[in-house]
Amino acid sequence: MDASGLMARKSVDDIVSGGEAESQTLSRTLGPFSIMAMGIGAIIGAGIFVLTGTAAAQYAGPGIMLSFVLGGIACAFVGLCYSELAALIPVAGSSYTYTYATLGEFFAWLIGWDLILEYAMGAATVAVGWSGYVTSILKDVGIVIPAQFTHAPGTAIEGGGTALFNLPAMVIVAALTLLLMRGTKESAKLNNVMVAIKLAVVLAFIGLGWRYTTSANWTPLIPPNDGTFGHYGYSGILRGAGVVFFAFIGFDAVSTAAQEAKRPQKDMPIGILGSLAVCTILYVLVAAVLTGLVPFKELNVPDPIAKGVDVIGIGWFGALIKLGALTGLTTVILVLLYGQSRIFYTMASDGLLPKLFAHVHPTYQTPYRSQALIGACVAVVAALVPITILGEMVSIGTLAAFCLVCGAVIHLRRSEKGMKRPFRAPAVPLVPILGILFCLLLMAGLPLDTWLRLVIWMAVGLVIYFFYGRKHSVLRQRNGTTA
């Protein structure tokens, strides 16, 4: 095995110039508002509308508010690192590209493979939540989808028997995949509209719901631990933070749009940090209102916000909130499917994946073949896998990626001291080190079986790399190290 070839790095200049000179280039159509809206579109979704209830009921109780604070602090450090790298290396690929420039090809492959957990599995997770809300809305207007077709196989359903597959989750993934295949500009316009609706609904829920909260539901704020790590108490807050951390991944999905930003050096930091700040505040407020409306043990449902609205008891408002939740979840799926295709686009351009993933449509200027394949796979996973397993896998994959991004900032500050940085993360290396430590802390709070699934997933990735990626690597071929 050629260790030097495995650690071969692409220089920052090569990455940037290669992204600009790519013959089948992506179109630069996104301004700062669209980029920030893309971040908000990805961040506000499953965290508020789905996982808040699950994490409160199973792990943290009303202390889920503190879990969001802990997750937000971790993301603040990581977000500063992402902002520096996205402005410095304004090409598609996110943390995969940043790792290629610092730790080399082998680690870049690992993080690219790891990002599938974040984006593709993240989209599947949210699609399952979307299914819960659309089922509730349709039921309100007299349309009932049989329970056998709204849950993962084996899920016990009311009245006896088990579910077969989640049909609504499949349908929404397929529809958004077709939209993304048609073009980035059109998808961004729809996303902007849906984000505006979603923000209005979230603010309405906070403003109106606060009047109906019961302080007794917040007592105790941190329920006593039942003797098991992660089941309430302080360890429950930690585990809850690890689970709802999934809800923060939108800000790094923004970095995958760098090659389609009009002014990436300015637009990327605005989009990343702006969307992260807005959403963290909203998360804490929604968690407070929701746990104040409904006793936390009753929130282990696919549509917890809808349950909270039922307590308020205003019919029209309930319909509005459910519609806003549905809109919010739609934007998350849209952005995550988009981000996954752009990462695959970059990896295929480097030769680590088949060229299929880098093929761009001559008219729509999108990697449409890659988008179609990703959509098909995500639809199948959303139909068959329970939301709890998906959410934990997404969280651990995301946290692992964030650790490497923070490390990349430290490395580049040393190896590329003279390079002009349009945005500089403050207090390096302290900020990146704190980002790594917080991410490791949140990873420690996740269950052992989630770690085992991560190990198995990464082992599969290693097999693919050694049997395909390293043999077709453009960089290794250029350096004469393909053997």
Side-chain angles (χ1 to χ4, degrees):
M1 183 185 300
D2 181 2
S4 63
L6 293 178
M7 301 305 167
R9 297 190 299 115
K10 292 176 71 175
S11 72
V12 174
D13 289 338
D14 284 345
I15 291 174
V16 175
S17 61
E20 296 296 339
E22 178 68 37
S23 58
Q24 291 186 326
T25 187
L26 302 172
S27 178
R28 291 197 180 276
T29 59
L30 302 177
F33 175 78
S34 291
I35 294 172
M36 184 181 291
M38 184 177 290
I40 296 173
I43 299 173
I44 295 185
I48 285 183
F49 298 122
V50 180
L51 294 181
T52 301
T54 302
Q58 297 184 1
Y59 308 123
I64 192 64
M65 291 179 273
L66 301 178
S67 297
F68 275 119
V69 171
L70 185 59
I73 291 172
C75 284
F77 295 125
V78 179
L80 288 166
C81 295
Y82 260 102
S83 295
E84 175 169 323
L85 293 175
L88 180 66
I89 311 174
V91 297
S94 186
S95 50
Y96 160 78
T97 301
Y98 310 149
T99 307
Y100 215 148
T102 53
L103 301 178
E105 181 179 282
F106 177 69
F107 286 101
W109 165 264
L110 288 181
I111 209 64
W113 184 250
D114 180 57
L115 287 173
I116 300 174
L117 293 179
E118 179 177 353
Y119 292 100
M121 295 303 100
T125 306
V126 183
V128 175
W130 188 96
S131 174
Y133 276 94
V134 78
T135 301
S136 176
I137 290 174
L138 291 176
K139 186 177 180 180
D140 290 342
V141 296
I143 301 174
V144 178
I145 302 176
Q148 292 92 331
F149 305 113
T150 59
H151 299 281
T155 303
I157 57 178
E158 189 175 347
T162 57
L164 299 176
F165 62 92
N166 197 325
L167 178 62
M170 291 185 67
V171 170
I172 187 58
V173 171
L176 293 178
T177 296
L178 290 173
L179 175 65
L180 286 165
M181 290 169 64
R182 291 293 303 270
T184 300
K185 186 175 182 180
E186 292 74 13
S187 302
K189 287 181 179 179
L190 176 62
N191 182 68
N192 291 347
V193 172
M194 290 193 293
V195 166
I197 296 172
K198 175 168 61 175
L199 282 176
V201 168
V202 169
L203 291 172
F205 175 75
I206 294 171
L208 186 58
W210 194 267
R211 298 167 52 192
Y212 294 86
T213 56
T214 302
S215 58
N217 289 337
W218 293 322
T219 305
L221 179 64
I222 305 175
N225 182 267
D226 63 4
T228 304
F229 181 87
H231 284 239
Y232 311 121
Y234 290 102
S235 66
I237 291 175
L238 176 60
R239 176 159 292 180
V243 172
V244 300
F245 191 85
F246 163 84
F248 289 95
I249 67 176
F251 79 86
D252 76 294
V254 171
S255 67
T256 66
Q259 201 164 328
E260 292 163 272
K262 294 178 181 177
R263 300 177 304 164
Q265 288 78 8
K266 293 183 179 180
D267 296 343
M268 298 313 297
I270 293 174
I272 292 172
L273 297 175
S275 59
L276 178 60
V278 169
C279 295
T280 300
I281 294 171
L282 292 178
Y283 271 162
V284 174
L285 292 176
V286 168
V289 171
L290 182 60
T291 53
L293 289 171
V294 183
F296 68 89
K297 291 189 177 180
E298 299 177 15
L299 289 173
N300 191 24
V301 294
D303 52 348
I305 296 294
K307 193 172 184 68
V309 169
D310 290 340
V311 173
I312 296 175
I314 302 176
W316 64 266
F317 185 63
L320 178 65
I321 289 293
K322 290 177 183 179
L323 181 61
L326 198 64
T327 303
L329 294 173
T330 303
T331 63
V332 178
I333 302 168
L334 180 75
V335 174
L336 293 179
L337 289 173
Y338 165 92
Q340 182 64 77
S341 69
R342 270 49 181 184
I343 290 170
F344 274 7
Y345 168 87
T346 306
M347 294 177 72
S349 298
D350 291 333
L352 302 184
L353 287 176
K355 288 297 182 183
L356 157 74
F357 293 101
H359 186 81
V360 176
H361 195 282
T363 302
Y364 302 137
Q365 292 184 296
T366 63
Y368 68 108
R369 293 177 181 173
S370 172
Q371 196 77 69
L373 182 59
I374 291 166
C377 293
V378 170
V380 171
V381 172
L384 302 179
V385 182
I387 191 170
T388 303
I389 293 176
L390 285 170
E392 291 175 351
M393 285 298 294
V394 171
S395 290
I396 198 166
T398 302
L399 288 163
F402 285 1
C403 287
L404 285 179
V405 167
C406 292
V409 168
I410 297 173
H411 181 90
L412 282 178
R413 284 290 186 95
R414 294 176 177 174
S415 63
E416 305 283 352
K417 293 181 179 179
M419 179 166 286
K420 180 181 179 182
R421 289 169 167 79
F423 177 89
R424 296 176 66 90
V428 174
L430 178 60
V431 164
I433 290 173
L434 288 173
I436 292 172
L437 292 176
F438 268 98
C439 289
L440 292 175
L441 177 66
L442 296 182
M443 291 174 75
L446 290 170
L448 177 61
D449 56 355
T450 301
W451 280 88
L452 293 176
R453 292 189 190 102
L454 177 65
V455 171
I456 294 170
W457 177 258
M458 299 310 289
V460 172
L462 288 176
V463 171
I464 296 174
Y465 174 72
F466 283 109
F467 280 92
Y468 181 89
R470 69 190 297 263
K471 294 180 180 179
H472 295 84
S473 165
V474 172
L475 181 62
R476 289 170 62 84
Q477 290 175 355
R478 185 188 308 158
N479 295 341
T481 57
T482 56

